[in-house]
Each structure stands twice: as structure tokens, then as C-alpha cells.
Amino acid sequence: EAQVTQNPRYLITVTGKKLTVTCSQNMNHEYMSWYRQDPGLGLRQIYYSMNVEVTDKGDVPEGYKVSRKEKRNFPLILESPSPNQTSLYFCASSMTGFRTGELFFGEGSRLTVL
Amino acid sequence: AQSVTQLGSHVSVSEGALVLLRCNYSSSVPPYLFWYVQYPNQGLQLLLKYTSAATLVKGINGFEAEFKKSETSFHLTKPSAHMSDAAEYFCAVSDSDTDKLIFGTGTRLQVFP
């Protein structure tokens, strides 16, 4: 089954404790992206990748890091989480690129930073 | 840069009633336009997509959207709401300058029996 898998789905952590949210897709997609969803703000892009070893900042990259060492994986790293990073995070992938809009989303990772 | 506005963060309808979710985009140049749906505790999934081939676009689950260039609108409709339609709906527009997809703030649809 074609899917984007994120882990963990739920996480509560404390300020400053490094964490990684993993994302893996099995569709051989070149494009991958991370979004955060906040009430009243919709989805905002954090980072994206157009191919292996190619990553770029989205609209809200501060406090986040990513890497793309393999085509299927695109982990999101919070080196020193802060409460303003409490949010619902989505990983997405696409074969045809973000502008064409056919994104496949994971089920989301709800992060709470205390 | 493109932007998209969804009017109404919450819409409530009775089962069997017409569903109308509004979306307006900023540019006069017809871009790609999309509607995504997010069911509770799930990720977003593509509902339908406008690519200039036809102004009336049919999507999954009986939804459709009409592109109106003169009104810069792409409203989503369904003739008869079903309880299973309760979800959050996002309008999105492609931005050719940045090669990005710009999402609206979402409209939560509630369906009452």
C-alpha cells in the first residue's frame, strides 16, 4: 500500500530535549516536505526536499533541521524544542512536485513541548 | 506571491443539505487550484484539482468545484451532505514564482442529523 509513515504520532517532551520525527514514503517520490498545522493558520511549510541531499527552507524553518540521505526518508529534527513548536506536524511527498499539488500526506505527529 | 482565502472557519449543515465552502485566490493568472480534505486524526488527502482543462472539476465523494476567473474563486460544493463529510477542508493554490503550494486556513464542516 502506498503510504507516508510518520513516527511518533504523539509526543510530549520538555523544552530543550532534542527530538526527531521520522518520515518514510514507499512511493519512490523525489519531493518531500514538512508542514506544521496550527489553528487559524492552516498549513505552513517548514522545509522541503526536491531530491536526495537537496533540502531547502520553507516559510517557517526556524528551530528545525532536516536531512535527506535516502530518497524514502526525510526526518525532522528539533535540536532544542520550545513551547512555540507545539503543533501538529505533517510530512508529505509528491512525484510531480509541490506546484502540481498532488501531495501524499502522513497521518500527522502531534507534538507538545512543555 | 499567491495567497488563498477561505471564508468561514466553520460551516454547519444538516444531512441532505447543500454544502458550499468558499475559496478565493489572489492572482488574476489562473494557477493550479486544489481542495484537500482532512478527516479526524488523519492526514490531508486530495479531493480535487483544477488545471485549466475544465472550469467545473469533479472530485471524490460527490464533491465538485467551479473555477471562476472573473471572481478569482474556486468554491467547493456538494448537493447533499452526508454525515461522513464532516471534516476540515483546505483550499490550496500553486505559486509559480516559488514553486510552492499555498494552503488556506481551512474550513471545518459539521453535518447534523
Side-chain angles (χ1 to χ4, degrees), chain B residues 16-19 61-64 77-81:
Chain B
L18 171 71
V19 175
N61 300 333
F63 283 93
E64 62 183 34
T77 59
K78 182 173 180 177
S80 177

Side-chain angles (χ1 to χ4, degrees), chain A residues 9-10 35 37 40-43 45 48 58-59 90 98-103 105-107, chain B residues 32 34 36 38 41-46 49 88 90 94-96 99-101 103-105:
Chain A
R9 293 287 313 279
Y10 301 91
Y35 295 87
Q37 182 182 9
L41 297 177
L43 273 78
Q45 192 178 48
Y48 63 96
D59 299 314
F90 287 101
F98 305 119
R99 194 166 67 89
T100 61
E102 296 189 46
L103 303 180
F105 284 82
E107 293 188 314
Chain B
Y32 291 114
F34 314 87
Y36 276 84
Q38 183 182 26
N41 298 314
Q42 294 186 27
L44 283 73
Q45 54 184 282
L46 184 65
K49 170 182 177 180
E88 187 151 22
F90 291 91
S94 61
D95 188 324
S96 54
D99 202 30
K100 290 183 179 179
L101 195 59
F103 286 89
T105 53

Side-chain angles (χ1 to χ4, degrees), chain B residues 22-70:
Chain B
R22 299 177 187 273
C23 173
N24 289 86
Y25 63 94
S26 62
S27 172
S28 61
V29 176
Y32 291 114
L33 289 156
F34 314 87
W35 277 97
Y36 276 84
V37 60
Q38 183 182 26
Y39 297 105
N41 298 314
Q42 294 186 27
L44 283 73
Q45 54 184 282
L46 184 65
L47 197 56
L48 51 81
K49 170 182 177 180
Y50 167 77
T51 59
S52 77
T55 57
L56 185 64
V57 182
K58 294 188 184 299
I60 60 173
N61 300 333
F63 283 93
E64 62 183 34
E66 186 173 8
F67 172 72
K68 292 187 176 180
K69 182 179 177 181
S70 61

